[in-house]
Amino acid sequence: MIIQRWQNLLLFISALLMCVFFFTPFASVAASDGLGDLAVYAYSFPVFLTLNLAIFIMLIIAIALFRDLKKQRLVTATTILLLIVSVVSAVIMVNNTIPGAQLEWLGGISMPVISAVCCLVAYICMGKDQKKLRSYDRLR
């Protein structure tokens, strides 16, 4: 018996948020001519882009593992850790490598944060489903 409901939906929302993150700026830099701000995207940093592509692929793999709850939980836990690393590395990159840059918390950088929250809630839902499956196995 497989009881998969909310976790796959939450993982799908998380994957969509990471896809949107690739196309939204996560920081801005004041232009030298004073006419506006320059946007900083994830593809400006190849290693950062690779990390976020790996997160996106792991989210897709986690969705595909809906039949194996243990492996799905393992992939989701790893993805949560990588999302935390992604946010921390974005903060460090903006503060250390780009002088005068400001993070856009209401813009792009909120996507991995919300994605991590969705993954965490999905992980909790998977634990509840595992408990329910164990209780059904005891009844047999």
Side-chain angles (χ1 to χ4, degrees):
M1 178 191 298
I2 299 171
I3 308 173
Q4 297 286 320
R5 293 181 299 259
W6 292 105
Q7 48 266 43
N8 284 336
L9 178 66
L10 289 166
L11 290 172
F12 180 71
I13 290 170
S14 183
L16 283 178
L17 286 171
M18 289 307 294
C19 189
V20 170
F21 176 67
F22 295 132
F23 302 107
T24 57
F26 68 92
S28 62
V29 181
S32 60
D33 58 5
L35 294 177
D37 290 342
L38 300 174
V40 178
Y41 292 91
Y43 55 79
S44 301
F45 303 97
V47 175
F48 186 63
L49 177 66
T50 305
L51 172 66
N52 287 302
L53 281 173
I55 291 169
F56 177 74
I57 291 169
M58 288 184 70
L59 285 167
I60 299 300
I61 290 170
I63 293 170
L65 288 173
F66 68 94
R67 292 187 186 259
D68 192 354
L69 198 57
K70 288 181 182 178
K71 286 182 184 175
Q72 189 181 32
R73 283 190 84 187
L74 178 67
V75 171
T76 303
T78 307
T79 304
I80 292 169
L81 290 174
L82 286 177
L83 280 164
I84 292 169
V85 167
S86 174
V87 172
V88 169
S89 66
V91 171
I92 291 171
M93 278 189 321
V94 168
N95 289 334
N96 292 339
T97 60
I98 307 170
Q102 296 291 324
L103 282 174
E104 292 185 11
W105 287 103
L106 297 177
I109 200 68
S110 65
M111 304 290 176
V113 173
I114 296 170
S115 181
V117 170
C118 287
C119 285
L120 184 63
V121 173
Y123 186 81
I124 292 168
C125 288
M126 288 177 215
K128 289 180 182 178
D129 278 357
Q130 266 188 335
K131 282 183 181 179
K132 194 177 288 187
L133 285 172
R134 279 192 220 124
S135 71
Y136 288 157
D137 286 341
R138 277 191 296 254
L139 293 174
R140 284 191 224 173

